[in-house]
Amino acid sequence: MTRLVVLLADAAKAMGTGEPIPPQPAGVIELDTVGDAIRDAADLIGQRAVALQESESRYRAIVETAVDAMVVIDGDGVVHAFNPAAERLFGYASEAVIGRNVRMLMPEPYASEHDGYLSNYRRTGVRKIIGIGREITGRRQDGSTFPAELAVAEWRAGGRRYYTGIMRDVSERRRAEDALRTSKAEADRANLAKSKFLAAASHDLRQPVQALVLFQATLVERLAGHAAQPLVESMGQALGSLHMLLDSLLDVSRLDAGLIVAHPEDVPLTEVFERLAAEYLPQAGAKRLRLRVACTRTMVRSDPVLLERILRNLVENALRYTDRGGVLLGCRRRGDRLRVEVWDTGVGVEPDKQAEIFEEFVQVGNVERDRTKGLGLGLAVVRRLARLLGHEVTVRSVPGKGSVFAIEMPVVTPAADAGPAKAEQARTRDGLILVIDDEVLVRLGLQAMLEGWGYRVLAAGSVEEAVRHVESGAWPHAILADYRLRGGETGLDAIRAIHDRLNAAVPATVITGDTAPERLIEVREGGFSLLHKPVAAHELRATVGEMLRAAE
């Protein structure tokens, strides 16, 4: 019997597993027949071939049914595979692409640059797409182009380098993004148009309303006890509603435009609470409601003016929607934070409406739009102001039982050596007020009101007329000037001219119905106070008092 010293079995196993042929012992394995060795090797090779065929079938099924386009190229950019999704995406049959350079799937200038990119990558190893991905532009057979996301993987076989690119058409996403950008641009334009409209319309509306407010306030004082007094007071209520509407619209517009800037400082809440109590106790009494204000000596970090506006809106809202019981303004300290809370026993708010009430013109229980219940802008202003200050505003409410609105802010610990605040002294002597306004009715209304309060008044309709008053020897203690005068002049021009003639700064306030951002910024940068028309009598009186105290 022929002895065959051949390691066919081990060789066959090695072929089937990919492992090297193991070393053999010194002795030799004797095979009875060559046929046994061949059969063993054939079985193993057949099993390996079946496994490879199944793996290839799975791979082909994945590639053929993939939703995304798949393209395989070699190191020279020649296409080796082009799946059905790629055929649908580019409009080419695979036979028309395989064997050609992948440049045919790219528009210029990308087609001309592609071979250079491959060459640079082979030389430097610097990746710009491989393993990273990016958005590209593809070119279809009909010459049209489309945006696509591309991911590239690198692999090797038989000593050669290959790249598999997976692509997805993002045209729909791009159109959606473009539509979103267009919509946002349109919304921005609409918002800008709204602001411009409010700026223009509010000025035109405020001029006649301002005159009406001034004359009505003067008539109330002069017709005290007269039979026409109730009629004049009713007219004042109507003007008050109009004033409130214009002010609320202006507040929302200025906040949205970013024209209100917070100036945080240490604020003693005792003073704020005392002012609110003095202002709203009469209003609560008129409705037979109890208003309790629990004062606190705590100091917080906030903008005093804006914080007081927030609390004023919350207290007004509570009184407006409470018919029985009362309102409580108090505080709760939690560590280094303080919650100022406004409690009421009013109508309450349904849970699904508690977020909605902070939107513009939203009111609960006022379907008839009763103006005595406000305009639905107070809480919208509260939310914007709180966001500007970085304070958190919350609401808890039980329908039919009442609500609790709260604002939270940081507590400030006063320095141990802080001395007592200097008491504010009221001005007792008469003041000479220079009023500058080109509208005759507004000028006469201001003059009548100021004289009714015991002040002496100089009235001027232009910069030149105002300067003549000063040149004749008059020295005003305070100036009230309309912003927009005739002939392109402004109240700021008039104030500066007065200061130049006197060689001294006189406290001044600009009164305007103009809400344009550049106007507001100009007045603020000039260092002057600002009032928006229509100015209520109590606002004007308080402003004049502050200017006279500053002049002392």
Side-chain angles (χ1 to χ4, degrees):
M1 180 169 54
T2 306
R3 289 176 179 272
L4 183 61
V5 188
V6 180
L7 306 179
L8 286 176
D10 287 339
K13 290 179 181 177
M15 291 173 62
T17 63
E19 298 177 354
I21 300 174
Q24 299 299 319
V28 181
I29 298 175
E30 296 185 3
L31 299 179
D32 292 338
T33 63
V34 174
D36 290 340
I38 293 174
R39 277 193 298 273
D40 289 344
D43 288 342
L44 290 172
I45 292 172
Q47 291 172 11
R48 180 60 176 170
V50 170
L52 288 173
Q53 186 177 7
E54 290 177 353
S55 178
E56 182 180 354
S57 297
R58 285 194 297 270
Y59 169 77
R60 187 176 297 278
I62 292 172
V63 172
E64 296 294 318
T65 59
V67 175
D68 293 332
M70 296 185 180
V71 179
V72 178
I73 65 172
D74 60 22
D76 296 322
V78 177
V79 179
H80 286 253
F82 198 75
N83 76 338
E87 291 180 329
R88 293 190 295 271
L89 181 60
F90 288 95
Y92 287 102
S94 59
E95 296 81 5
V97 180
I98 294 175
R100 299 179 62 183
N101 195 290
V102 74
R103 292 193 305 267
M104 65 184 294
L105 305 178
M106 307 173 189
E108 292 294 348
Y110 310 111
S112 300
E113 296 171 351
H114 186 260
D115 286 349
Y117 167 71
L118 285 177
S119 175
N120 183 68
Y121 172 63
R122 288 194 299 268
R123 186 177 67 256
T124 65
V126 177
R127 299 182 173 191
K128 294 184 178 179
I129 300 177
I130 298 169
I132 300 173
R134 62 180 291 184
E135 189 170 300
I136 62 165
T137 301
R139 180 182 181 277
R140 298 187 181 91
Q141 184 179 21
D142 61 9
S144 61
T145 60
F146 61 93
E149 283 183 344
L150 170 65
V152 179
E154 179 184 8
W155 51 282
R156 294 175 181 270
R160 300 194 63 185
R161 195 189 306 245
Y162 293 92
Y163 307 96
T164 298
I166 301 176
M167 284 162 283
R168 175 176 296 175
D169 188 348
V170 294
S171 298
E172 288 297 329
R173 190 185 74 187
R174 179 72 66 80
R175 280 192 286 270
E177 291 172 349
D178 290 343
L180 182 62
R181 280 191 291 269
T182 300
S183 298
K184 183 180 183 302
E186 290 176 354
D188 290 342
R189 285 195 295 271
N191 191 53
L192 180 60
K194 179 199 74 173
S195 298
K196 289 183 176 179
F197 169 77
L198 286 174
S202 64
H203 179 270
D204 294 340
L205 287 171
R206 286 168 185 274
Q207 289 293 88
V209 172
Q210 178 65 82
L212 286 172
V213 168
L214 295 173
F215 284 128
Q216 188 273 338
T218 303
L219 283 174
V220 167
E221 294 180 357
R222 295 187 180 183
L223 294 179
H226 193 277
Q229 183 179 3
L231 183 61
V232 176
E233 290 175 348
S234 297
M235 182 175 69
Q237 293 173 359
L239 287 172
S241 296
L242 182 56
H243 186 186
M244 182 171 58
L245 173 60
L246 290 173
D247 278 351
S248 298
L249 287 173
L250 176 63
D251 284 340
V252 172
S253 176
R254 292 171 66 202
L255 284 165
D256 287 343
L259 298 177
I260 295 180
V261 179
H263 299 285
E265 59 183 73
D266 296 350
V267 182
L269 286 180
T270 300
E271 298 176 7
V272 177
F273 279 27
E274 288 175 350
R275 283 195 297 270
L276 292 174
E279 183 174 349
Y280 290 107
L281 277 171
Q283 184 176 331
K287 293 188 68 175
R288 298 181 181 277
L289 298 175
R290 296 187 306 276
L291 173 61
R292 294 176 54 204
V293 177
C295 291
T296 174
R297 296 184 180 278
T298 306
M299 295 184 68
V300 295
R301 188 70 179 175
S302 187
D303 182 301
V305 176
L306 301 184
L307 175 60
E308 188 167 335
R309 180 63 188 274
I310 290 174
L311 296 179
R312 179 174 283 107
N313 281 12
L314 292 178
V315 173
E316 283 183 1
N317 199 65
L319 291 172
R320 186 175 293 128
Y321 287 96
T322 301
D323 295 324
R324 292 191 302 272
V327 174
L328 168 66
L329 172 62
C331 303
R332 290 187 181 185
R333 181 165 180 171
R334 295 179 178 176
D336 62 349
R337 309 287 294 178
L338 186 78
R339 285 171 56 88
V340 178
E341 299 179 340
V342 179
W343 294 66
D344 68 63
T345 57
V347 297
V349 185
E350 296 288 345
D352 60 341
K353 300 289 185 182
Q354 290 179 13
E356 188 178 335
I357 59 175
F358 289 96
E359 301 295 331
E360 295 89 342
F361 301 107
V362 173
Q363 291 181 296
V364 175
N366 190 20
V367 294
E368 68 278 11
R369 304 302 293 178
D370 181 357
R371 286 290 174 255
T372 62
K373 295 183 178 181
L375 302 163
L377 289 171
L379 291 180
V381 171
V382 165
R383 182 178 66 174
R384 285 168 167 81
L385 287 175
R387 187 181 299 152
L388 178 65
L389 293 170
H391 301 338
E392 181 184 5
V393 174
T394 58
V395 58
R396 305 193 312 272
S397 185
V398 178
K401 292 188 176 181
S403 304
V404 183
F405 287 84
I407 178 168
E408 188 172 299
M409 64 205 81
V411 172
V412 176
T413 302
D417 58 350
K422 182 180 178 180
E424 186 176 318
Q425 300 294 326
R427 187 179 185 90
T428 56
R429 64 182 176 83
D430 292 341
L432 178 61
I433 314 298
L434 175 58
V435 174
I436 308 169
D437 198 307
D438 61 323
E439 291 283 343
V440 176
L441 290 178
V442 174
R443 190 166 67 244
L444 291 175
L446 282 170
Q447 184 173 356
M449 181 172 288
L450 292 168
E451 289 176 345
W453 294 336
Y455 297 117
R456 293 172 294 129
V457 179
L458 293 174
S462 65
V463 175
E464 181 181 358
E465 191 175 352
V467 170
R468 281 204 302 268
H469 280 304
V470 174
E471 290 177 340
S472 64
W475 189 298
H477 300 113
I479 302 172
L480 290 171
D482 185 35
Y483 177 83
R484 189 177 298 180
L485 304 176
R486 300 188 190 280
E489 295 179 324
T490 69
L492 295 176
D493 297 332
I495 294 170
R496 294 185 184 110
I498 298 299
H499 288 179
D500 289 343
R501 293 299 188 280
L502 296 175
N503 195 27
V506 176
T509 296
V510 176
I511 304 176
T512 181
D514 196 338
T515 60
E518 57 271 20
R519 301 290 180 267
L520 302 176
I521 293 171
E522 183 182 3
V523 173
R524 186 163 55 232
E525 289 180 346
F528 307 116
S529 301
L530 182 66
L531 288 176
H532 285 281
K533 296 179 181 179
V535 181
H538 71 276
E539 290 179 296
L540 182 63
R541 194 166 197 166
T543 299
V544 171
E546 289 175 3
M547 287 194 294
L548 293 177
R549 284 190 291 273
E552 289 182 338

